[in-house]
Amino acid sequence: MKMKRFAAMLLAGTMLTGLCACGSSGGNKTAGSGSSGDELKVSVILKTEASEHWQLIKAGCEQYEKDNPGVKVDVKGPPSETSYDEQTNMIDTDINGGGYDAYVIAPLQSDSVAAQIAATDKPVIALDTNINSDKVVSFVGTGNEKAAKMGAEKAVEEAKAAKGNKAYEKTIFLGFDGSTSACQAVLDGSLTLTCAQQPYDMGYKACETAVKAAKGESVDNVDTGTEIIEKDNAQARIDKMNEYLAKIK
């Protein structure tokens, strides 16, 4: 059991180190004076649209627009998470075009994006990965320290349940994602559990926060939470994600 507890603690440390790029800071800022027109326009620039995670974020953004008729949400993203130039051009176009009341940006290169938004007078929401800039009024994403703690605690519990299983008595397989493939791996038994992020909620909450900031309301950072996925709830998670994805325009 000492060996299992040590492994769980080591896992928590590894997760924290590997996920530090997505950390958050700052918050509780007021920005923007609201839109001068009848409709608020929010630009959402993702890291890419070419993955399930970002498609779910897009679904959340689109649902916020549906729920709020006075808001127009424009979602876009480059072909891949290495398409740095394409994202840079998207940000430049939207910032310099001046047609938006707020911006939601998931930066591929945080330092470059900080320079790009330096001159804007509109509120910026950092999504998934923070941006070190005083123009950023809120970070919306996963609280990685809490997620790592939840995963490690659950791994320790599973290690106690695996005591009588010779095949897995020294091994607990823990992932951090919660994607359809990860959930399927849990169902198949190749993964014990996975810490699932909430990308749909990230998209929805990012747009909600952007609109509040555009109206001049005080906003803070938003931790969209983490869910532990095991065999008893993996299929429900898959079904929910498929439902969200089916709504995308």
Side-chain angles (χ1 to χ4, degrees):
M1 285 306 300
K2 289 182 178 179
M3 183 176 188
K4 294 166 192 169
R5 291 194 184 99
F6 175 75
M9 292 173 65
L10 181 61
L11 172 63
T14 302
M15 289 172 67
L16 284 170
T17 301
L19 297 168
C20 64
C22 295
S24 62
S25 63
N28 197 27
K29 300 178 182 178
T30 303
S33 56
S35 174
S36 58
D38 295 330
E39 184 180 65
L40 281 171
K41 294 188 67 177
V42 179
S43 166
V44 179
I45 301 176
L46 307 178
K47 292 183 179 180
T48 184
E49 292 186 62
S51 75
E52 180 183 271
H53 178 79
W54 294 103
Q55 284 288 296
L56 286 165
I57 289 178
K58 180 178 181 179
C61 293
E62 291 182 350
Q63 187 60 50
Y64 181 82
E65 181 185 67
K66 291 176 185 176
D67 292 344
N68 297 271
V71 177
K72 173 65 177 175
V73 179
D74 182 15
V75 185
K76 60 182 73 69
S80 73
E81 291 193 37
T82 57
S83 300
Y84 306 117
D85 291 342
E86 286 88 340
Q87 191 189 57
T88 295
N89 292 336
M90 289 177 178
I91 295 170
D92 277 340
T93 298
D94 285 5
I95 293 287
N96 296 327
Y100 297 98
D101 298 284
Y103 302 93
V104 175
I105 302 175
L108 288 174
Q109 297 175 302
S110 296
D111 291 343
S112 297
V113 174
Q116 286 181 277
I117 65 176
T120 187
D121 61 350
K122 300 297 170 59
V124 177
I125 309 301
L127 174 64
D128 185 72
T129 301
N130 211 355
I131 305 167
N132 186 19
S133 169
D134 61 0
K135 302 297 181 179
V136 174
V137 298
S138 173
F139 168 81
V140 177
T142 304
N144 293 313
E145 291 187 10
K146 291 181 181 178
K149 183 174 183 292
M150 285 178 63
E153 289 175 345
K154 191 62 181 178
V156 170
E157 290 180 21
E158 291 293 327
K160 294 176 181 178
K163 184 177 181 180
N165 189 328
K166 294 294 183 182
Y168 296 105
E169 64 180 1
K170 295 183 179 179
T171 308
I172 296 297
F173 298 99
L174 170 64
F176 186 91
D177 186 7
S179 64
T180 298
S181 60
C183 292
Q184 189 60 54
V186 171
L187 290 174
D188 295 342
S190 56
L191 195 62
T192 308
L193 53 94
T194 182
C195 296
Q197 299 187 77
Q198 308 295 345
Y200 180 87
D201 292 342
M202 287 169 64
Y204 196 100
K205 291 293 186 180
C207 292
E208 180 179 64
T209 304
V211 168
K212 287 181 178 179
K215 291 179 177 179
E217 298 178 23
S218 180
V219 297
D220 209 334
N221 294 334
V222 180
D223 180 353
T224 50
T226 307
E227 180 183 10
I228 299 296
I229 304 299
E230 303 174 86
K231 277 196 174 183
D232 61 353
N233 63 346
Q235 187 59 56
R237 167 85 177 182
I238 292 173
D239 294 342
K240 182 187 294 184
M241 288 189 290
N242 287 337
E243 179 185 344
Y244 288 153
L245 292 170
K247 297 178 181 180
I248 296 175
K249 294 178 184 178

